[in-house]
Amino acid sequence: MTSSPPAASETDLGRTRRARKIGRVLTETHPDAHCELDHSNALELAVATILSAQCTDKKVNEVTPKLFARYPSAAAYAGADRGEMEELIRPTGFYRNKTDSLLKLGQALVERYDGQIPGRLVDLVTLPGIGRKTANVILGNAFDVPGITVDTHFQRLVHRWRLTTETDPVKIEHAVGALYPKRDWTMLSHRIIFHGRRVCHARKPACGACTLAKLCPSYGTGPTEPAAAAKLLKGPRARDLAVAAGVDPDLVPAQAVAAEVP
């Protein structure tokens, strides 16, 4: 696969146009993109997002069914037994700190918001355990308020695409947000994160099996030969991702399809 990476002298308009093209390709590449933390309401999403720190979404989703059943409300978290909660969430790591956040979150919601998760960024970021990234996840997925989620995958990819040189998450959020219509922010975040987990890996991206090769100035960071790149695709749609990139899906090994998405 050949690539025509953007020139270093790319104009602001050129960058915006390329960013929009990237967004369109990602829409076609990842039609299944969504929030991968299982939840049925804003409180559950807030809790799951807090648990996801330094932990895979898959592991969080294994833990939360029992947790959600045991603590169905903010008041339940506020009055929870610390030891019992620690045991429930232990598999997610850093369970003592996370328990502390969940207990305090429940208390703050009961005391200040009548037990309900607020639907404004300015309120969310005042709550224990909830920073701006978590707040945007909650707003976008529980309240349909557009938000950009700057996690490690998002940061890595927008830097590889040279959409921004900012390193501060808030500045990245604003810089990338300026390149796209606000209505697209939440789904754009999901698609970028999906791409980072399945294709554009941190150590060895699947450059030769990537639908964004012609738009990416970092093309060649990983293997460009289709046979080598196809082995790096991950997840149940790995072969579909290969087809989308013009690569023979038979080059994708079974273990790649079965691989746990990071």
Side-chain angles (χ1 to χ4, degrees):
M1 183 182 294
T2 58
S3 174
S4 301
S9 58
E10 184 176 45
T11 64
D12 290 343
L13 178 59
R15 185 180 303 106
T16 299
R17 286 175 171 169
R18 183 167 59 86
R20 300 288 180 92
K21 288 179 183 177
I22 287 172
R24 290 193 291 273
V25 173
L26 287 174
T27 299
E28 297 171 357
T29 305
H30 302 288
D32 57 330
H34 61 280
C35 177
E36 295 189 270
L37 292 169
D38 295 340
H39 65 281
S40 60
N41 57 52
L43 176 62
E44 290 183 357
L45 180 56
V47 169
T49 307
I50 289 171
L51 295 181
S52 71
Q54 305 298 313
C55 182
T56 65
D57 288 357
K58 180 180 179 182
K59 179 59 67 176
V60 172
N61 290 339
E62 291 172 359
V63 167
T64 49
K66 286 184 179 178
L67 187 72
F68 294 162
R70 182 69 182 85
Y71 309 108
S73 66
Y77 283 98
D81 176 79
R82 178 181 290 274
E84 181 182 357
M85 183 178 287
E86 285 183 355
E87 284 306 306
L88 280 172
I89 69 171
R90 183 187 289 267
T92 69
F94 302 96
Y95 61 94
R96 290 192 178 92
N97 287 341
K98 291 177 181 179
T99 294
D100 196 51
S101 291
L102 295 181
L103 293 173
K104 290 179 178 177
L105 173 64
Q107 292 160 8
L109 290 174
V110 169
E111 293 170 4
R112 290 156 45 196
Y113 296 105
D114 197 28
Q116 302 301 309
I117 294 285
R120 297 193 311 161
L121 181 70
V122 66
D123 296 322
L124 285 167
V125 295
T126 69
L127 293 169
I130 297 181
R132 190 177 180 95
K133 181 184 77 173
T134 299
N136 276 324
V137 171
I138 295 168
L139 289 173
N141 297 283
F143 292 99
D144 290 326
V145 175
I148 286 179
T149 303
V150 183
D151 74 347
T152 55
H153 300 289
F154 191 101
Q155 289 191 49
R156 178 174 73 254
L157 269 61
V158 298
H159 284 153
R160 280 181 174 165
W161 298 333
R162 295 181 196 162
L163 298 185
T164 180
T165 57
E166 298 290 356
T167 55
D168 176 77
V170 177
K171 291 181 179 178
I172 292 172
E173 177 188 334
H174 292 313
V176 176
L179 299 172
Y180 294 92
K182 188 174 182 178
R183 65 178 181 275
D184 295 340
W185 287 355
T186 299
M187 284 308 302
L188 174 73
S189 299
H190 289 322
R191 290 167 187 141
I192 290 177
I193 292 168
F194 256 57
H195 202 70
R197 288 174 167 171
R198 290 154 175 79
V199 182
C200 194
H201 311 296
R203 293 186 180 177
K204 192 182 286 187
C207 292
C210 178
T211 54
L212 295 172
K214 293 182 179 180
L215 296 166
C216 181
S218 299
Y219 177 77
T221 301
T224 58
E225 285 297 315
K231 294 177 182 178
L232 299 172
L233 298 174
K234 287 186 178 180
R237 291 191 66 252
R239 288 183 175 135
D240 294 329
L241 295 174
V243 171
V247 171
D248 183 353
D250 290 336
L251 293 174
V252 179
Q255 59 265 35
V257 178
E260 181 176 330
V261 175

